[in-house]
Amino acid sequence: MAEKVFQKNMEFAKKHSQMYGLEIDDTMSTEEIVSKYGEESRKASGLVIDNKIIINKEVAKGSINGENVANHELLHGILKASKANITQDLV
């Protein structure tokens, strides 16, 4: 059931990310992500770099709210793309 929810959320995020000029990449392993984005990305379920949303499926599927990581990161990407002047740290 959790895998089904995870996949549905990924589909939703991939579909809607295009509306904001964002691209979702969920193809890399943890080691590939660390190699490309640094050691600080090792435990991240997802991250937004420029117009790319990176999803670490290995980490996300092992976390409590991991089934929604794609939508969570999509929201970060949308906020970033909006260029809104947000003065508070985003989680």
Side-chain angles (χ1 to χ4, degrees), residues 18-85:
Q18 297 169 3
M19 296 169 57
Y20 298 94
L22 301 167
E23 175 189 351
I24 294 183
D25 182 354
D26 63 338
T27 62
M28 291 188 280
S29 69
T30 299
E31 292 309 316
E32 290 170 318
I33 292 169
V34 169
S35 174
K36 190 165 185 172
Y37 298 106
E39 188 61 38
E40 62 277 0
S41 64
R42 179 175 297 281
K43 293 183 182 179
S45 297
L47 51 146
V48 180
I49 307 290
D50 299 322
N51 67 334
K52 197 168 211 172
I53 298 170
I54 311 301
I55 304 297
N56 185 337
K57 292 194 288 190
E58 295 169 11
V59 173
K61 289 181 179 183
S63 68
I64 293 172
N65 295 314
E67 73 276 354
N68 198 40
V69 69
N71 292 324
H72 176 92
E73 296 304 327
L74 175 60
L75 179 57
H76 281 294
I78 291 169
L79 289 171
K80 197 173 185 181
S82 76
K83 303 202 186 326
N85 185 19

